[in-house]
Every structure is written in structure tokens, then in C-alpha cells.
Amino acid sequence: MAEAIRGRGKLAYKFLLWFLLISLAPMGVVGWHLINISQTVLKEESLRHQQSLAVGFAETVSNYTSTFKTVLTIASRLEGFATMDPVKQERHLNRVMQQHAAFLEVSVFDAAGRETVRMGRFLGAAPQMRNFADEDSFRAALDKGEYMGGLARFQGLYPTLTLAVPILESGAGQTVKRGVLLGRVSLNGLSQMLRQEFPEKGRSQAAVVAGDVRDSFLVAHSNPADAFKADARLPEEILKVILTQTAKRGGGEVELVDGTRVLGAFAEIKEVGWIVYVQQPIESAYLAATQMRAQVVRVLLWVVVIT
């Protein structure tokens, strides 16, 4: 009799175990599926956030370069500037240099490409005049109405950009091209802005790069020391990702040479075609997704225990 009771007890436990498995298994499957969905959504949101940061700073860079181009355009239209009087031009350009510290050098060229005025922060009292008749900056300013390019490193370290606009004289119903106003602008300010917006933490960084994979130019970096050197450039594996894309913006996971992975995003800067790149370690970028998964797992375990 006692053995029969024990047998019925074991059978009851088996029925209870199967009942729990049948009732809890679907909940577990659904819960795990929801966890995966939440993980995917949060990771996509992290990438969108990275992309928005890249797009936002691309706009900042565009405004930065456009501002100095506008300064030159306004200066070229000041009273007496188009008469090509060096004295009046020097007076106007002195004011430009005083108000805008980023200008390292400004020059005036006549319609034949001969330099008539040359002013710079690091030039001597009587700098040598040049002939820019065959230079791209001079030709583009006259033919296309503006020039923005000629990336170079001042003193072999600090990135600079060349800007040029035509000097136009209007009268008698026509506009005459009298010459070109050219300026060389320091881009150090971009690295300082990147440093403020993207303070360096581990592998988190942001940069502005121009050119192609083989001949890239590091315009700015959230760690200015990385941009202010003669051989400044981003790692090859990153350049291959961001400089070979046809899309104007994008992102995803990037594997570095040391085997670690980062979440990177890029955006093209209008007018100049440079690329803004922002990266964050995977563990930081997906922190919210990891925390969400842990929290959901704890809730499911509590449900199982209570049930």
C-alpha cells in the first residue's frame, strides 16, 4: 500500500514538472525573442546616434569653412577694394587679420595672376611676391567664382586650407574681374571643437579626413596631437571603410588590427567632400542594450521562481 502511494506521488511530481515545462517554455521562448528584438532596436538606435553626431559635426565644419570664405567675399567688395589700390586693400585686409585670427596669410592678385599685396602673421617685412597665373586656386576663383582646397601643413604640422574669391568691379552695366583675393586659413580650431564635443575616452574618437585611402589628409582630430604632426593619418582599416563608400553617410561595426571592434559612423561634408568620422567602443556603444538584456533576464527568472 505504501509503495502504491509513493508511486502515485512520483507520478504527480512528473505531471507537475511537465505542466511547468509546457506552461513556461512558451513564455521563455517569447521572452528570449523579445530580448533579441530589444537588443536589435537598441543597437540600431546607437548607430543612428553615432550617425547624427557625424552629420552634426559635418555641418559645423561646413559652416566653419563657409564663414571664412564669406569674410573674403565681403572684404573683396569693400569700398575701393576693386580699384586695386594696394594702400586701401592693405587697410581693409589688416582689419580682416585683426578680427579673424584663423587667417595666417592673405594676398591680392591682379587679373594676370601677379601678386600685388601679401600679408601674413609669419612673413617678413618685405615678402617675395609670386605669380599665380597657372595655379588652380587663381584659375578656379576667376573661372568658377570661388576656390576651396589646397590642404597643406603649416610648418609641416598644422593643417591649413586655401580659399580664394574673385575681385569684381561693377559699372556701366557690366562686371569686370579685376583679380583674386586669396587667404590661407588655419584649421586648428576644428580639432579644438572636436576635443570639446568628443573628449577622448579609451577608443572613443572623432576626426575629419580628406583625400583617398592612399593619399589621405587628417584635417582634424579629437586628440589634437594626432592631427598636428607631419605624418598624421587615421589607421588603414578605418580609411578603407570611410573613404571607399559611395553613400554620403553611414556606419557600422569596424574591426581594428588588434582584433577589437568599434562602432563607427561617417558623414560627408558638403562643398569640400571631406569626411567626418566618429567611433565608440562596442561595449560603450551597446551598453544600453546589454543592460536591457540583463534586466529582462532577471525579470523572467523571477517569474519562473514565483510560478
Side-chain angles (χ1 to χ4, degrees):
M1 184 67 179
E3 292 181 0
I5 293 174
R6 285 197 297 271
R8 286 197 295 272
K10 291 180 179 180
L11 183 61
Y13 280 122
K14 288 180 180 180
F15 275 118
L16 179 60
L17 178 61
W18 279 106
F19 174 77
L20 289 175
L21 288 176
I22 293 172
S23 60
L24 294 178
M27 184 176 66
V29 172
V30 171
W32 188 254
H33 184 60
L34 291 176
I35 290 175
N36 289 333
I37 292 176
S38 66
Q39 288 282 95
T40 301
V41 171
L42 289 174
K43 288 181 179 181
E44 290 176 351
E45 184 59 32
S46 297
L47 179 57
R48 280 194 292 269
H49 177 64
Q50 288 285 90
Q51 291 176 343
S52 68
L53 292 176
V55 170
F57 198 77
E59 287 292 329
T60 300
V61 176
S62 178
N63 293 336
Y64 183 89
T65 56
S66 296
T67 295
F68 294 114
K69 183 180 67 176
T70 301
V71 169
L72 290 182
T73 300
I74 293 174
S76 69
R77 297 175 182 175
L78 293 174
E79 182 181 0
F81 203 94
T83 62
M84 301 303 286
D85 182 346
V87 175
K88 292 181 179 180
Q89 290 175 335
E90 286 184 6
R91 184 168 63 250
H92 291 315
L93 295 180
N94 258 321
R95 191 175 299 111
V96 169
M97 298 280 285
Q98 291 171 2
Q99 294 176 347
H100 303 280
F103 278 105
L104 299 177
E105 188 175 332
V106 288
S107 297
V108 175
F109 297 88
D110 63 20
R114 295 184 295 267
E115 193 170 31
T116 57
V117 175
R118 187 180 184 187
M119 303 173 61
R121 301 189 187 280
F122 303 95
L123 296 176
Q128 182 180 0
M129 296 300 178
R130 301 162 295 178
N131 191 316
F132 268 37
D134 297 325
E135 295 292 332
D136 292 340
S137 54
F138 177 79
R139 300 310 319 171
L142 278 184
D143 299 338
K144 300 179 181 179
E146 65 177 44
Y147 174 81
M148 187 181 298
L151 286 170
R153 295 198 177 277
F154 178 69
Q155 296 181 343
L157 300 174
Y158 307 107
T160 62
L161 173 69
T162 298
L163 304 170
V165 297
I167 301 171
L168 306 176
E169 185 177 34
S170 300
Q174 61 179 355
T175 300
V176 179
K177 299 176 181 179
R178 299 299 306 275
V180 167
L181 174 58
L182 182 144
R184 191 178 182 188
V185 179
S186 169
L187 298 176
N188 292 357
L190 293 178
S191 289
Q192 300 302 330
M193 286 189 282
L194 277 177
R195 186 176 187 177
Q196 293 175 2
E197 293 196 30
F198 307 96
E200 192 174 18
K201 296 177 181 178
R203 291 187 177 274
S204 297
Q205 62 175 279
V208 180
V209 63
D212 53 36
V213 177
R214 292 185 177 181
D215 187 25
S216 65
F217 188 99
L218 187 57
V219 177
H221 198 281
S222 53
N223 179 11
D226 287 344
F228 302 162
K229 54 185 180 181
D231 58 346
R233 61 184 285 117
L234 289 179
E236 195 79 10
E237 62 270 24
I238 294 177
L239 292 175
K240 288 180 179 179
V241 172
I242 65 176
L243 296 182
T244 57
Q245 302 290 333
T246 56
K248 294 186 180 298
R249 65 182 67 175
E253 295 185 13
V254 181
E255 185 173 358
L256 304 180
V257 290
D258 60 2
T260 59
R261 300 182 71 84
V262 296
L263 183 65
F266 68 91
E268 183 178 310
I269 303 169
K270 59 184 179 182
E271 295 183 347
V272 292
W274 304 343
I275 299 294
V276 172
Y277 172 73
V278 179
Q279 80 172 33
Q280 191 176 13
I282 288 294
E283 57 272 19
S284 299
Y286 293 161
L287 180 61
T290 303
Q291 292 175 339
M292 173 69 77
R293 180 175 59 188
Q295 186 174 359
V296 172
V297 169
R298 284 196 297 268
V299 171
L300 288 176
L301 290 176
W302 270 108
V303 170
V304 171
V305 172
I306 293 173
T307 304

